[in-house]
Amino acid sequence: MSGTPPFPEFRARLENALDALGMQADHARIPALLGYLQQLQHWNKAYNLTAVRDPGKMLVQHVFDSLAIVPELRARWPRRALRVADMGSGAGLPGIILAICQPDWTIVCVDAVGKKTAFIRQAAGVLGLKNVRAEHGRIESMDSLQADLVISRAFASLSDFVRVAAHHRAPGGILLAMKGQDPVAERAALEAGTGWYVKRAVELDVPEMDASRCLLELDSTGPEGTP
């Protein structure tokens, strides 16, 4: 990217958010993060990517929200180049944010809406992200992506997530679901109906967001993690 950085008025907020998340070393990624925000705002009307229209709210509800999982993932896999499948990726969230922060990871963003995967390709091209690929199709019908991390953000119930996406894990891979308030009813339905359960729950503190967010790791009691 070149020229005047987009949204200069948001730079300080993004710096503060990164500092709050313990990501001070990521200040160099701010132009790319703001460049993504610019693409999201520009294409939102044509592609209907998000109901959030105000770029300041997009910054918090989409960019900060996606950034909040990065410290947890880095702590768990500090020196490993991961293959990540972002299911129901929509506008590339959290996939594109992960790709910006982790250039050594390979990110596959999957969505059933062609306009949304077209946007992901467009944004990745503009931002020069070589580690992002968009796949258009139904998650449950696609061949396994053999991902180390299969992740979803505000995509489906825990049971539906397992049903459509579990086969995309590589051996030893895990499923992660980004949720708002810890979904007690979804947890119960997951255990009762699938044989899967929430192995680990991590509370997320999203900068500037006055709402509960959590990251849930799912596991199965069945053979080879098959629901």
Side-chain angles (χ1 to χ4, degrees):
M1 296 187 303
S2 61
T4 303
F7 297 118
E9 70 274 21
F10 292 158
R11 183 177 182 93
R13 289 174 63 186
L14 192 42
E15 287 177 351
N16 291 336
L18 290 170
D19 291 349
L21 292 168
M23 298 174 64
Q24 292 86 349
D26 290 275
H27 281 205
R29 308 191 194 281
I30 287 175
L33 293 167
L34 293 179
Y36 167 75
L37 184 64
Q38 182 182 50
Q39 290 294 305
L40 180 60
Q41 186 200 32
H42 178 73
W43 290 103
N44 192 36
K45 289 183 180 179
Y47 285 4
N48 193 27
L49 301 165
T50 171
V52 181
R53 303 297 180 186
D54 177 75
K57 293 180 179 179
M58 288 178 178
L59 180 69
V60 177
Q61 295 181 31
H62 296 320
V63 177
F64 291 178
D65 188 52
S66 296
L67 284 171
I69 67 171
V70 173
E72 171 67 22
L73 300 185
R74 285 178 173 174
R76 184 158 180 180
W77 293 277
R79 291 177 296 276
R80 184 176 170 191
L82 299 177
R83 183 177 177 86
V84 180
D86 177 13
M87 297 302 182
S89 186
L93 296 161
I96 285 185
I97 304 303
L98 293 178
I100 291 171
C101 293
Q102 299 294 136
D104 57 333
W105 292 6
T106 300
I107 314 293
V108 183
C109 296
V110 182
D111 205 277
V113 180
K115 289 191 297 184
K116 293 181 178 180
T117 52
F119 167 75
I120 293 168
R121 295 186 188 102
Q122 161 74 19
V126 169
L127 298 171
L129 299 175
K130 306 297 186 184
N131 58 333
V132 175
R133 186 175 93 242
E135 291 284 349
H136 173 222
R138 296 182 63 83
I139 295 168
E140 64 269 32
S141 302
M142 298 172 61
D143 291 339
S144 176
L145 292 171
Q146 293 294 296
D148 301 303
L149 304 182
V150 179
I151 192 165
S152 70
R153 173 183 179 268
F155 164 61
S157 70
L158 296 177
S159 297
D160 284 345
F161 178 40
V162 163
R163 179 179 58 81
V164 303
H167 74 285
H168 288 291
R169 292 183 309 160
I174 66 172
L175 264 65
L176 295 172
M178 297 174 67
K179 290 285 185 178
Q181 189 171 5
D182 198 346
V184 176
E186 286 188 28
R187 280 186 183 234
L190 177 74
E191 295 184 15
T194 68
W196 285 65
Y197 64 99
V198 175
K199 181 178 181 180
R200 187 163 174 259
V202 178
E203 290 187 13
L204 301 174
D205 188 7
V206 181
E208 297 189 30
M209 183 181 287
D210 185 21
S212 298
R213 298 290 288 159
C214 64
L215 181 67
L216 305 179
E217 178 183 344
L218 311 183
D219 202 355
S220 173
T221 58
E224 298 182 358
T226 303

